[in-house]
Amino acid sequence: MTDPLSITVGILAILGACSTGVKSLRSAHVSLEEYKRLEIELKHLHDVIKVVDGLLTEHHLTDNALAKDLTLARNQNQLKLPHNHLAQIYYELRENRAQIQHLTQKLAIDEANDRRLLSTDLKDEFEPCHRYIDEVQDVAEASEDYASDSTDGFDDCVSHFSEDNSHTLVDRLHTHFNHRMSPDDFFETPLTFVGEKYTVETRLGEPAAVVAMTEIDHSSIHRLQKYFLIYAEAPRLWRRVTISAMILRSSQFSVYSEVAAPDIILSSHKTLPGNLQHQLQGLLKSLALLETVTKISLTIAEHFAGNYTINIPSVAVSEDLDESYINHEKDILQDIQHMDVPQYLQSEVIVQERMDAVTYLAQVESRPCMERKIPFSGGGLPGDNGLKRFWQDLKLTRSLYACNGVVQFMGVVLDDTKTHVKSFLQELPALGTIRSILAHAELRQEPIPWSVRATWASQIISAVAEIHSKGFVVGLLHINFTNVRSDGRAVLNLRKRGYNYSINRDGEIAQESRHVPNHSIQPRKLDFCSDIFMLGMLLWQIAEHRSNIGGYLCLRNACTSVPRHSCNAEHINPVELPPCIDKEVPQSFNLLISLCRKADPRKRPPARTLLQYIDPKSQPSNIAELQKKYTNTHSFLVCCAECGTVVDSNAWYHCNICHFADFDLCSPCVSQGVRCFDKKHQLVKRIFKNGSVTNVL
């Protein structure tokens, strides 16, 4: 009888040889055939482990002594290591596929030489393990009456260094493994295996996302700032952290540390000043973080431009009592039970990519979704409570679950003890936002046909009418939060309804609510009439095929002001909008927009009456083409505040103060001398690196 521990030792020996082989092959840059053979050997090893697991199935081998021994070994965690180790090596091999393709084109090495070279390097290491494979194979063959499925896969498990190395065997293996998508399909060990941990190129970027940065106090020698971060302590373990930073200023370079970036509606990706992002992420790895909100107090020395050093002895960790919401959280948890909403554990949610400070592309139960993580109560402007708005938006999306024109609510995410709310989930419309579709179409110089855009307009109006009929106000109708499903249908994302402030610019705030100068923060008044006013701007942008209107309003009005972003003429914050220039847009649609933008709110028609201005025969004719081109266009977009250009892959410049850190300029505009609103502000050069926004020092 084969000893299960011997089998385990044999498997570990093979894994060790594979791991050593991967490293040696990488360093030597040897041939394509060596990579292929090592990958095939590794896949054979999976069959060994699969059969070992198959022997544990009670209804197959109820009375088999070996099965009992293997069951005991598994319960003692003796067989978990090969799964995780194998998965890691599997991903290492995937990382080299691009290099393999390169070798295919440039290398033509004789197969006999490859076999001889590979035998020299690895055969001696694998040979002692062959007897374990043979022994397990004998057990499988003897048990074929009980477990035919396992035996079928295991009969092929012969050494690729033996004489019986036929092309037929390789073909069968290729067919067997070709349709496997990931190690999650191989190993079902959710409590010990986190598949995304082994991804070769993560799209998540930095583990710490900056939600807000505020300055509490400053003097000639110091700045006291507070940073609000959402931090990935592990692939499926997220924490909220606040950092109280005392920056000891150097008068020559103090401009680099100045920030004014609260959590507001349309804030862009924020990064900490200079090199602080990288330093603080390294610090967070070494600290024990709390389940609630961790507060870290520290002192930072400012050296030269953008360079800082954290004083490690000054670091103090405690609970952020200002952010603590334990009593209120108990009420929220109780309300969730009464609302009877689907509940998921944090460990069940795979986070894939960051969309904004608190929203991520994610996956749960193999379904793609958007995850909106719980923010902070004190990260916004005075009177703007992030936790309150989070709860308002959750209840609103849940209440409108049956509305077909709204991004659907999927459930609430709790920590694994079910004592803390972590986030809520919504459907992920496959084609992304209308803004991202228009932006990518502009980059490709392939405009979206008017028939498609007209259909989106009709669907958006219908959604607003349905929401109003249920007694709800949308609150924020913006091209950033209007999505498109895989069938081409436009739907509204109500994530941002609870914000109390907007920046008075670009014609977003209704005339009756404007009480501050342009570019200033304006408290928001939300009602049905303000929804219709914002609807007019959204429909105008769709008709104009504009993903961003930075600088465009000046262009449409033949304004020669330079820079455009600082223009203070009436046309940069319009009430009435200019007629659409697209000749395909009918006059009736221009009339519809004009009615929505009436200065007197009493003259704006209800949403249900607006559909009469859209041609009912207008139907999209090329949804399949949209699906092909724009599926998964969820990437973060950067648009120049001066010319409106979408920054594709080049560097751009960001201000951490103007428009509350929502101000970016493209490189061409900066090279022409354009700066932000205050030339004393220090513009930060940024690039996209490994899926995240990175400062260039």
Side-chain angles (χ1 to χ4, degrees):
M1 185 71 63
T2 304
D3 182 5
L5 295 180
S6 298
I7 296 175
T8 304
V9 172
I11 292 172
L12 290 174
I14 296 174
L15 286 172
C18 287
S19 182
T20 302
V22 169
K23 294 177 182 177
S24 64
L25 291 175
R26 281 180 179 172
S27 61
H29 296 287
V30 292
S31 72
L32 169 65
E33 283 299 313
E34 291 175 0
Y35 279 107
K36 288 183 176 179
R37 291 180 183 280
L38 184 57
E39 187 169 15
I40 292 172
E41 188 69 24
L42 196 60
K43 290 177 178 178
H44 272 293
L45 176 59
H46 165 256
D47 271 1
V48 176
I49 296 177
K50 179 180 177 182
V51 171
V52 171
D53 281 349
L55 294 176
L56 304 180
T57 308
E58 293 183 2
H59 69 275
H60 283 171
L61 297 173
T62 306
D63 299 321
N64 189 287
L66 176 59
K68 295 179 180 178
D69 291 341
L70 290 174
T71 302
L72 178 61
R74 173 188 275 183
N75 292 339
Q76 295 175 348
N77 294 326
Q78 296 174 14
L79 294 180
K80 286 184 178 179
L81 180 59
H83 291 73
N84 291 341
H85 195 176
L86 179 60
Q88 187 170 4
I89 296 175
Y90 176 86
Y91 270 103
E92 288 180 359
L93 288 169
R94 285 188 60 189
E95 188 177 14
N96 288 284
R97 283 179 178 170
Q99 187 174 358
I100 290 173
Q101 293 175 356
H102 181 69
L103 289 171
T104 301
Q105 299 174 358
K106 293 189 176 182
L107 296 179
I109 298 177
D110 184 79
E111 183 176 356
N113 291 336
D114 289 340
R115 186 180 297 108
R116 191 160 50 250
L117 177 61
L118 188 58
S119 298
T120 302
D121 291 341
L122 299 177
K123 187 173 182 180
D124 291 340
E125 294 186 63
F126 277 89
E127 191 62 31
C129 304
H130 289 169
R131 63 177 182 274
Y132 297 110
I133 298 177
D134 294 338
E135 290 174 359
V136 177
Q137 183 176 2
D138 292 339
V139 173
E141 290 172 350
S143 308
E144 63 182 3
D145 292 337
Y146 302 95
S148 58
D149 291 341
S150 295
T151 307
D152 290 341
F154 193 62
D155 283 340
D156 291 338
C157 228
V158 295
S159 172
H160 284 264
F161 299 101
S162 65
E163 295 299 324
D164 189 22
N165 182 14
S166 64
H167 291 289
T168 303
L169 175 60
V170 175
D171 292 340
R172 288 203 301 271
L173 281 170
H174 180 269
T175 301
H176 182 69
F177 288 101
N178 189 45
H179 301 291
R180 307 297 181 126
M181 297 303 294
S182 71
D184 283 329
D185 297 317
F186 297 145
F187 314 123
E188 296 184 3
T189 54
L191 297 180
T192 59
F193 177 72
V194 181
E196 64 270 25
K197 181 178 179 181
Y198 299 102
T199 52
V200 175
E201 184 177 339
T202 177
R203 293 178 295 163
L204 184 58
E206 302 286 354
V210 182
V211 178
M213 299 180 289
T214 59
E215 188 156 285
I216 300 173
D217 187 25
H218 71 276
S219 70
S220 60
I221 60 173
H222 81 276
R223 291 187 186 276
L224 179 59
Q225 297 178 343
K226 190 168 185 177
Y227 310 139
F228 300 80
L229 311 178
I230 294 179
Y231 176 66
E233 186 174 10
R236 302 189 193 182
L237 182 61
W238 293 74
R239 306 290 195 192
R240 291 189 300 149
V241 180
T242 63
I243 297 176
S244 180
M246 175 70 74
I247 301 179
L248 303 179
R249 297 175 56 182
S250 168
S251 59
Q252 183 180 359
F253 302 108
S254 61
V255 67
Y256 285 87
S257 60
E258 187 176 357
V259 297
D263 180 16
I264 60 173
I265 293 178
L266 296 176
S267 58
S268 59
H269 277 218
K270 302 180 179 71
T271 55
L272 297 175
N275 61 354
L276 277 181
Q277 185 92 12
H278 178 71
Q279 289 193 54
L280 285 174
Q281 286 176 164
L283 175 65
L284 290 172
K285 291 180 181 179
S286 65
L287 300 178
L289 304 179
L290 306 178
E291 288 289 341
T292 54
V293 181
T294 304
K295 179 181 179 180
I296 301 173
S297 301
L298 47 78
T299 301
I300 299 171
E302 183 180 64
H303 300 301
F304 53 93
N307 281 268
Y308 306 88
T309 301
I310 297 174
N311 182 6
I312 298 301
S314 71
V315 175
V317 180
S318 62
E319 182 180 10
D320 192 326
L321 298 179
D322 292 334
E323 287 291 335
S324 180
Y325 61 100
I326 297 176
N327 293 333
H328 182 56
E329 186 176 35
K330 291 180 180 179
D331 295 335
I332 292 177
L333 288 168
Q334 185 176 5
D335 288 347
I336 287 173
Q337 298 299 326
H338 287 291
M339 291 167 63
D340 191 27
V341 300
Q343 298 179 18
Y344 300 94
L345 299 180
Q346 182 176 220
S347 59
E348 297 173 330
V349 181
I350 301 174
V351 179
Q352 297 175 326
E353 185 176 355
R354 180 184 176 193
M355 299 176 70
D356 60 37
V358 295
T359 310
Y360 292 79
L361 297 183
Q363 187 180 76
V364 63
E365 295 180 345
S366 300
R367 292 181 295 167
C369 60
M370 292 186 291
E371 181 185 20
R372 180 178 173 187
K373 295 186 179 296
I374 191 166
F376 298 86
S377 61
L381 293 167
D384 189 7
N385 187 313
L387 296 175
K388 182 178 179 181
R389 99 170 81 91
F390 172 88
W391 184 233
Q392 288 176 343
D393 290 354
L394 189 157
K395 291 193 291 185
L396 178 65
T397 53
R398 173 60 175 174
S399 299
L400 295 173
Y401 181 79
C403 180
N404 194 37
V406 172
V407 173
Q408 295 296 289
F409 177 82
M410 290 178 57
V412 175
V413 179
L414 308 176
D415 74 325
D416 285 13
T417 65
K418 295 187 176 182
T419 56
H420 299 285
V421 179
K422 291 293 184 178
S423 59
F424 69 83
L425 305 177
Q426 296 172 280
E427 71 162 306
L428 178 65
L431 302 187
T433 66
I434 289 181
R435 182 191 182 212
S436 68
I437 295 173
L438 295 180
H440 284 87
E442 291 165 11
L443 290 172
R444 296 169 181 171
Q445 298 182 348
E446 299 176 355
I448 304 298
W450 168 245
S451 61
V452 175
R453 289 179 283 141
T455 301
W456 288 344
S458 175
Q459 292 164 345
I460 291 168
I461 294 171
S462 297
V464 173
E466 184 174 3
I467 294 170
H468 285 185
S469 70
K470 297 180 182 299
F472 295 105
V473 173
V474 177
L476 181 64
L477 277 163
H478 195 279
I479 199 167
N480 262 8
F481 309 119
T482 309
N483 297 72
V484 182
R485 291 183 176 136
S486 59
D487 61 358
R489 183 180 182 86
V491 290
L492 302 179
N493 187 349
L494 306 180
R495 293 186 301 110
K496 302 285 186 175
R497 180 182 180 275
Y499 282 83
N500 293 322
Y501 297 91
S502 291
I503 298 177
N504 187 21
R505 61 171 178 171
D506 298 337
E508 293 180 358
I509 296 178
Q511 175 68 27
E512 63 272 17
S513 298
R514 299 182 185 181
H515 306 298
V516 297
N518 293 338
H519 304 291
S520 302
I521 287 293
Q522 171 68 59
R524 302 177 68 213
K525 178 183 178 182
L526 305 177
D527 55 26
F528 297 130
C529 292
S530 65
D531 276 356
I532 300 300
F533 187 84
M534 296 186 73
L535 175 63
M537 174 59 79
L538 173 58
L539 298 179
W540 184 78
Q541 277 191 257
I542 292 174
E544 289 285 273
H545 205 290
R546 297 295 302 183
S547 61
N548 180 62
I549 59 174
Y552 183 66
L553 292 169
C554 282
L555 181 65
R556 281 298 314 271
N557 287 274
C559 176
T560 58
S561 175
V562 177
R564 290 173 178 170
H565 67 71
S566 297
C567 176
N568 206 31
E570 291 184 3
H571 61 253
I572 62 98
N573 194 21
V575 175
E576 296 184 3
L577 294 168
C580 299
I581 59 175
D582 189 336
K583 295 181 180 180
E584 289 190 80
V585 177
Q587 185 59 36
S588 59
F589 196 83
N590 281 311
L591 177 59
L592 182 159
I593 294 172
S594 176
L595 292 172
C596 291
R597 301 290 294 187
K598 290 292 185 181
D600 186 348
R602 295 170 296 181
K603 295 183 179 180
R604 298 171 201 155
R608 67 177 185 275
T609 66
L610 296 175
L611 288 175
Q612 61 181 299
Y613 297 97
I614 296 182
D615 184 358
K617 298 179 181 179
S618 177
Q619 295 294 330
S621 57
N622 44 8
I623 293 301
E625 190 68 17
L626 281 178
Q627 293 172 336
K628 180 180 178 181
K629 291 183 177 180
Y630 301 105
T631 298
N632 298 325
T633 54
H634 301 284
S635 57
F636 172 63
L637 293 175
V638 177
C639 294
C640 179
E642 176 65 11
C643 65
T645 300
V646 176
V647 177
D648 187 13
S649 57
N650 299 321
W652 74 98
Y653 294 83
H654 176 79
C655 181
N656 264 337
I657 304 170
C658 290
H659 281 175
F660 291 94
D662 185 24
F663 189 95
D664 297 282
L665 293 171
C666 66
S667 293
C669 285
V670 171
S671 65
Q672 294 173 16
V674 177
R675 295 295 184 268
C676 61
F677 289 93
D678 189 338
K679 292 185 178 181
K680 295 180 181 179
H681 295 169
Q682 181 64 41
L683 296 180
V684 180
K685 186 177 181 180
R686 286 179 161 187
I687 58 172
F688 285 114
K689 183 178 180 181
N690 297 329
S692 63
V693 176
T694 304
N695 294 343
V696 179
L697 300 181

